[in-house]
Amino acid sequence: MAIHVARTASLVGRERQLADLRQAYAQACTGEPVTVLIGGEAGIGKTRLTEEFTAEAGRLGARIVVGQSVALDGDGPAFAPFVGAVRGLHGQVGTEALLELAGPGGERLASLVPELGDPPADGPEGRGRLYEVVTSLLERSAAEQPLVVLLEDLQWADRASRDLLRFVARGVRDTKLLILVTYRTDELHRGHPLRALLAELDRMRQVHRIELPRLGHDEVVAQLRGLLGRPLERGYVERIFQRSEGIPFFVEELAWVDDDTGQAELPGSLRDLLLVRIEPLSEDTQRLLRLMSAAGNRVDHSVLEKVADERSGPLEAALREAVSSGVIVVDGDGYAFRHALLREALHDDMLPGEHARMHARYAEALETHPELMPNGPTAAEVAHHWYSAHDVERAFAWSLTAADELVRGYAHATAQQLLERALELWDQVADPETVAGSTRLDVVVRAATEAYSAGEFDRALSLVKEALRLVDREADPGRAGWLLARKGNVLNRLGRPGAIEALREARELIPADPPSAERAEALDWLATTLMLDWSFAECLEVADEAERVAEAIGMARIVASARITRGTAWVHLGDSEAALAEMHRAAATATAGPDHLHRYYVNLSDAYMLLGRYGEAVDVATEGYQHAREQGRKRTSGVVLAGNAAEPMLALGHWDRADRMIERGLEMVPPANHERHMLGLQAWLALWRGDVEAAAAAVERLRAGMTRRTVLPQDSRLVARLHADVALAAGRPEEAWSVVTDAVGDDVRAAVPGYDLPLAFAGAQALGERLRAAADPADLAVDVAWLRDLARHTAAGWPLQLWSVLIEAELSGRAGDDPAAWQQALDALQQAEGPVYLVPYAGYRLGRALIAAGDRDAAGDALREAAGRADQLGAGLLRGWIDDLSRRAHVPLVTGVPAGRGPASAGLTLREYEVLKLVADGRSNREIGEELFISAKTASVHVSNILAKLGVSGRGEAAAVAHRDGLLDTAAS
């Protein structure tokens, strides 16, 4: 039989996709990282496309690294695609340079590349730190020379790899990095875990998607000509096109079969079609290929030689025939199947007994000769082979061993799966407790711990419940209490009810004597949860006990945590001096644990924010961010601190800077409560810039999310205030009032000053509008009394009296129309750090009160000053209110121009008039922003408002209408 040598054909039918990749590469070379998702069914040519592109990128000077996911029946190695990519970098730059590029914490790369040494024993938090390190490594590696990272066949990747990809795609910035991800669309069934990740990545602006379609008739002809190098008969082409359905791999396989065998009738099933390629080979070669298929897509020569157990001559002959036939290719020191479909077909074609025997041979070889693989076989691979060989005893033992290994490598999700496999096999093992060195309960607890560490909180809860079913509460109350504490912590993470009750029960069960780490941890969780629930009295009692227990056993991190919790509770109770002193006292101790150091900065910056010390809040959050960055955690802890810096920046008037921080933070998908906080800040900014619809949509989104989980009081208050502000901006004071009263409840004595005073101000705004509309203000006397009672109780002892002054101004006179009260509020605001947006608001209200009092000249001065302040901020909402009042009251904002004429008669504000002139000059939003010292986004909002007010659909039409109506020939009012 003649040996068939596969002909290399040119890339056919992928010109557009190749152009898209070139464009993505060009964008990455400008310093804007890009991730490209390349999807298509099996055999569609994803590998061929990426090979063509990466070869081209390499010629242009890019560094190329490749990582491959491994199909091992769901047991693929942890982080497999990233292991290949990092190992590729290691091979190119060396150990020293690799660690230097990784930055702080670079030693954690040893969990991916064992030859770097042993990774540190970080515990659960090490997973997030590894993600930071890998992201920094890729980011810095691509700083000067473009880097292309190809991650193949992500449909087989484990949970850890998917999480890491999500983190990297969101985290990299300002570097020349292009990430290519390939996956099979036909394997993504409805429940496939990759589907959710792809949908999430799709929403990111730096992520592009390429779908590879099947080839058309002409493209199949071109591929066949490239493969065969000869003229083609029409009937032959039609036969291939019909059979292949335009899938390039099938075209190639069919071309070879029909060309070399003359078969006109071909097997109908895909598997049979693939195996036709194997049938002409010798029996020895076929047997060897089936054996290779049990190893996955690739196998080292040394491993294959040991597993094949053959003399070198016959083995080499079979390998040479397989390579010559194009079924496998030489890949470094080993061999890989030319296409994964071939490997799958061979593996599926094995008889059950043959399947078990071949996997057993791999298991034995890797178990007894670990030196066969230069980087060492992972225990998970050995466990997989024993499990596939149906050797229950050894599969059980190796699953437990593999779990330990995976935990050290931060692959908690895979460790959990293997522990659950051990539990599945437990009853089939002769003496499982002896083999495991522990009880079934111990293994369940371990699985729950790894599920928690992997962020699989739903599964962690199920496993904790199973552990509680197995534990004897009377015989082992300490362990039962610890499991209840873990249950409470998981419930809290999931936002489900019952967390505090479980933690309280844990406190009762875990013995107080002798002091233990379990009790200290449980008390710390309970104190923190009570503080977040605003159960301050009980929180302080539990925090005191947590600190006593922690000091007795030397747990400095719990001591720090208790002090932070206590200080935070005191802030909410209004004892600001004691609170800040206590939190500063925790600072030195907090450095004992990076997580508590992070918590210290988050809680202290929040305290300063609530107390109106906005500059200090920004400074503390920024300092905390710098610490997070130094520890290699800027994309985890740093994201939360960025949000804590953004809020006081908004209060200080640094809106554009805060906007950028919020957008950056949301791209990183912070924890749920912090994401809610950032979404609220983003909506608040949109509202005050004048985009009421966007803010209203955000309110609905936030409220919908709150219905699906237990919401912390601080979160519900922030959403309530945003909701009330949106309702007020939309002219619905009754709705705003209901939102405030529903949020606070009947017991005003339980209000928390930092959150409820600003909410009371929103209530006062709503009540003032209701009083103005009421036929008889006395009808609202009960509401007025309730609000004054709320303000009195909440402000008592609170150092920031600004909100009380504003509330009194809103309720002054008949309906907030006392000029003296508003002048007092304006003076107080001008002396305070912020919130600066309230300065033009108070000026607007002062102008309104002066108009009501008949002092039009003073009102004009107040409104002009307020308009200027609003313009400086970009507060389009306020500017609209000011302009509307100016027009209705005929109080001009520009001297010498009667109100009600010029652009104002078209409904334009002064700022919108300025923007319209620049639109008419053909300026872009960016150019308008630069001219008027506003952001491009603010300019875009103004342009949208102008188009709506003029009733036009585009910028050119707006300019034409402006010239036609003389809007550009007069000053604005």
Side-chain angles (χ1 to χ4, degrees):
M1 182 187 88
I3 293 178
H4 172 79
V5 180
R7 183 186 181 94
T8 301
S10 59
L11 190 64
V12 173
R14 301 298 182 226
E15 292 78 11
R16 183 175 60 81
Q17 291 79 13
L18 193 57
D20 289 343
L21 289 175
R22 289 168 179 153
Q23 184 177 354
Y25 177 74
Q27 180 180 337
C29 286
T30 67
E32 294 184 30
V34 181
T35 298
V36 181
L37 309 174
I38 305 172
E41 57 193 308
I44 203 68
K46 300 179 293 296
T47 299
R48 183 72 182 85
L49 173 67
T50 55
E51 284 176 349
E52 182 84 8
F53 169 74
T54 53
E56 182 178 308
R59 290 192 294 272
L60 293 173
R63 175 180 284 139
I64 313 295
V65 294
V66 181
Q68 172 71 55
S69 302
V70 180
L72 287 179
D73 301 331
D75 294 332
F79 297 112
F82 283 96
V83 167
V86 173
R87 182 161 280 131
L89 271 177
H90 182 227
Q92 294 181 40
V93 305
T95 298
E96 185 176 346
L98 186 79
L99 294 176
E100 183 179 348
L101 287 168
E107 65 276 5
R108 292 180 180 86
L109 289 176
S111 63
L112 303 181
V113 185
E115 51 264 44
L116 295 177
D118 295 323
D122 285 328
E125 66 273 12
R127 178 175 60 110
R129 295 178 188 175
L130 174 65
Y131 292 0
E132 289 264 13
V133 169
V134 172
T135 305
S136 295
L137 172 65
L138 298 179
E139 193 172 71
R140 295 179 185 183
S141 298
E144 300 298 332
Q145 179 183 4
L147 173 64
V148 178
V149 178
L150 172 58
L151 307 175
E152 295 194 276
D153 288 316
L154 211 70
Q155 74 278 352
W156 293 326
D158 64 315
R159 162 70 186 270
S161 298
R162 296 193 301 272
D163 287 347
L164 181 50
L165 173 61
R166 175 189 292 109
F167 192 94
V168 170
R170 290 183 178 281
V172 289
R173 283 295 182 278
D174 304 322
T175 195
K176 301 174 182 178
L177 175 66
L178 175 61
I179 301 174
L180 306 179
V181 178
T182 69
Y183 62 94
R184 289 187 187 177
T185 53
D186 50 328
E187 290 200 14
L188 301 190
H189 53 79
R190 177 169 293 188
H192 196 290
L194 184 59
R195 289 175 67 98
L197 174 59
L198 294 175
E200 182 180 328
L201 293 176
D202 254 347
R203 294 191 290 270
M204 297 168 56
R205 59 179 175 78
Q206 67 269 35
V207 175
H208 305 163
R209 193 191 280 236
I210 293 176
E211 295 286 347
L212 297 186
R214 297 183 178 187
L215 300 181
H217 187 278
D218 291 345
E219 292 164 335
V220 169
V221 172
Q223 183 184 2
L224 288 169
R225 284 175 177 165
L227 286 167
L228 303 175
R230 61 171 173 78
L232 306 173
E233 296 179 2
R234 180 176 179 179
Y236 171 80
V237 170
E238 292 301 323
R239 196 163 58 244
I240 299 295
F241 179 66
Q242 292 296 326
R243 293 280 186 175
S244 70
E245 297 183 328
I247 297 176
F249 175 69
F250 298 168
V251 172
E252 185 171 344
E253 292 300 302
L254 287 161
W256 174 76
V257 173
D258 203 310
D259 180 44
D260 278 40
T261 68
Q263 294 180 19
E265 293 298 324
L266 299 174
S269 71
L270 169 60
R271 189 183 71 170
D272 287 345
L273 170 61
L274 293 167
L275 292 177
V276 164
R277 182 67 174 270
I278 310 301
E279 288 174 0
L281 304 178
S282 68
E283 182 57 37
D284 286 345
T285 301
Q286 291 188 45
R287 185 169 57 252
L288 178 66
L289 289 171
R290 289 195 296 273
L291 180 64
M292 292 174 67
S293 74
N297 285 339
R298 184 190 181 282
V299 60
D300 279 343
H301 179 85
S302 57
V303 174
L304 183 60
E305 192 172 35
K306 179 64 66 175
V307 173
D309 193 23
E310 306 224 10
R311 296 189 307 278
S312 60
L315 174 62
E316 289 179 1
L319 285 169
R320 187 174 299 281
E321 183 180 14
V323 171
S324 298
S325 69
V327 176
I328 63 172
V329 296
V330 176
D331 184 17
D333 294 330
Y335 312 95
F337 281 92
R338 189 175 59 84
H339 198 287
L341 287 174
L342 283 170
R343 178 259 164 190
E344 291 175 37
L346 283 162
H347 191 257
D348 292 343
D349 192 51
M350 284 193 286
L351 298 171
E354 183 183 26
H355 177 277
R357 286 194 305 275
M358 290 189 174
H359 278 286
R361 287 161 75 174
Y362 278 102
E364 288 170 353
L366 296 177
E367 181 177 321
T368 57
H369 297 282
E371 74 282 358
L372 291 173
M373 298 180 70
N375 301 310
T378 65
E381 289 180 71
V382 180
H384 160 73
H385 286 300
W386 282 129
Y387 185 77
S388 298
H390 309 301
D391 190 321
V392 173
E393 297 284 344
R394 286 192 275 196
F396 176 78
W398 276 98
S399 293
L400 294 170
T401 301
D404 291 335
E405 181 182 276
L406 289 160
V407 169
R408 290 193 295 272
Y410 313 120
H412 301 287
T414 312
Q416 170 214 332
Q417 292 169 3
L418 284 165
L419 288 167
E420 291 202 48
R421 172 172 290 173
L423 291 170
E424 170 197 329
L425 300 173
W426 188 275
D427 293 332
Q428 302 174 50
V429 176
D431 188 3
E433 290 195 4
T434 299
V435 176
S438 59
T439 65
R440 183 186 184 93
L441 173 60
D442 294 327
V443 178
V444 174
V445 171
R446 283 186 63 194
T449 301
E450 298 315 317
Y452 181 88
S453 298
E456 295 281 2
F457 299 122
D458 283 308
R459 189 58 190 155
L461 182 60
S462 298
L463 288 163
V464 167
K465 288 179 178 179
E466 172 65 11
L468 283 167
R469 188 184 66 80
L470 294 172
V471 74
D472 187 333
R473 296 195 182 200
E474 293 185 4
D476 195 354
R479 187 161 209 186
W482 168 245
L483 287 169
L484 280 165
R486 176 64 79 180
K487 177 183 176 183
N489 194 21
V490 175
L491 287 170
N492 188 39
R493 288 280 191 143
L494 289 168
R496 295 183 187 174
I500 290 177
E501 291 76 10
L503 288 163
R504 283 173 177 158
E505 190 177 355
R507 184 188 184 191
E508 294 297 319
L509 281 173
I510 301 174
D513 190 27
S516 65
E518 289 79 9
R519 185 169 180 84
E521 195 90 65
L523 290 169
D524 182 48
W525 287 342
L526 177 57
T528 302
T529 307
L530 289 165
M531 180 268 290
L532 293 172
D533 191 56
W534 288 4
S535 302
F536 299 122
E538 186 181 355
C539 160
L540 291 171
E541 175 202 340
V542 176
D544 290 345
E545 185 184 356
E547 183 172 358
R548 288 195 301 271
V549 175
E551 284 182 329
I553 58 177
M555 292 186 71
R557 65 181 181 86
I558 300 296
V559 172
S561 180
R563 291 174 180 174
I564 294 168
T565 299
R566 186 184 298 114
T568 306
W570 282 344
V571 169
H572 293 322
L573 291 170
D575 194 348
S576 59
E577 290 187 11
L580 294 174
E582 181 72 358
M583 295 177 83
H584 285 301
R585 191 164 75 97
T589 315
T591 59
D595 286 336
H596 288 296
L597 178 64
H598 153 74
R599 185 167 175 246
Y600 161 75
Y601 282 114
V602 169
N603 286 32
L604 181 58
S605 60
D606 185 58
Y608 280 130
M609 171 67 204
L610 295 175
L611 294 168
R613 295 163 63 169
Y614 304 117
E616 289 169 282
V618 172
D619 290 344
V620 169
T622 303
E623 182 183 341
Y625 177 82
Q626 186 58 36
H627 274 271
R629 184 173 184 176
E630 290 170 359
Q631 294 173 359
R633 307 183 71 184
K634 68 178 182 180
R635 299 174 183 86
T636 48
S637 302
V639 172
V640 177
L641 285 160
N644 270 37
E647 186 171 7
M649 283 179 187
L650 292 175
L652 292 169
H654 306 154
W655 284 7
D656 288 345
R657 183 182 175 196
D659 193 12
R660 290 191 296 271
M661 294 187 74
I662 293 166
E663 286 189 356
R664 174 78 177 95
L666 286 172
E667 286 177 353
M668 291 298 297
V669 188
N673 56 325
H674 294 287
E675 181 180 40
R676 187 182 298 112
H677 178 218
M678 287 186 174
L679 287 170
L681 295 178
Q682 188 179 58
W684 183 94
L685 185 53
L687 173 66
W688 288 98
R689 279 175 165 167
D691 194 344
V692 180
E693 289 185 3
V699 167
E700 291 306 310
R701 176 183 172 186
L702 289 167
R703 293 181 66 204
M706 289 166 59
T707 62
R708 294 191 293 269
R709 53 185 290 136
T710 300
V711 180
L712 300 175
Q714 66 185 36
D715 293 339
S716 64
R717 291 298 203 275
L718 291 172
V719 174
R721 186 182 173 199
L722 175 63
H723 186 177
D725 282 351
V726 169
L728 287 167
R732 302 193 297 269
E734 291 289 349
E735 179 183 336
W737 176 254
S738 296
V739 168
V740 172
T741 53
D742 289 347
V744 175
D746 296 329
D747 187 4
V748 298
R749 291 169 296 181
V752 173
Y755 291 94
D756 286 330
L757 275 173
L759 191 59
F761 169 57
Q765 291 175 285
L767 187 53
E769 295 299 324
R770 295 173 67 221
L771 286 167
R772 188 170 295 102
D776 183 357
D779 294 340
L780 299 175
V782 173
D783 289 347
V784 172
W786 179 86
L787 187 64
R788 289 190 185 279
D789 195 26
L790 171 64
R792 183 172 60 256
H793 277 290
T794 310
W798 188 248
L800 185 62
Q801 292 299 309
L802 182 62
W803 297 110
S804 298
V805 175
L806 285 164
I807 291 168
E808 284 303 314
E810 291 286 356
L811 299 179
S812 65
R814 181 182 184 277
D817 54 7
D818 181 356
W822 281 109
Q823 186 63 59
Q824 181 182 358
L826 182 59
D827 292 342
L829 282 162
Q830 289 173 332
Q831 294 171 13
E833 276 191 89
V836 297
Y837 77 96
L838 289 176
V839 174
Y841 174 79
Y844 157 70
R845 293 304 309 273
L846 173 60
R848 197 165 85 174
L850 288 167
I851 290 171
D855 192 346
R856 299 175 61 79
D857 289 340
D861 291 340
L863 290 176
R864 280 189 286 275
E865 176 68 21
R869 295 266 192 162
D871 286 344
Q872 288 176 350
L873 274 176
L877 181 68
L878 273 173
R879 186 57 205 258
W881 292 350
I882 293 167
D883 290 326
D884 181 63
L885 177 61
S886 165
R887 186 166 53 253
R888 288 187 292 106
H890 300 288
V891 175
L893 297 180
V894 177
T895 57
V897 179
R901 295 186 57 188
S905 63
L908 299 183
T909 67
L910 178 59
R911 176 61 88 187
E912 288 167 351
Y913 165 68
E914 295 169 336
V915 171
L916 177 59
K917 289 196 298 182
L918 295 172
V919 168
D921 288 341
R923 304 286 190 91
S924 67
N925 290 340
R926 181 182 58 79
E927 292 169 333
I928 293 170
E930 291 173 352
E931 178 74 20
L932 300 179
F933 301 100
I934 59 178
S935 70
K937 181 176 289 186
T938 300
S940 174
V941 171
H942 284 312
V943 171
S944 297
N945 290 339
I946 291 167
L947 298 182
K949 290 179 179 181
L950 297 182
V952 297
S953 59
R955 300 164 79 100
E957 191 177 354
V961 170
H963 285 296
R964 184 196 67 196
D965 295 350
L967 299 181
L968 303 180
D969 301 328
T970 182
S973 63

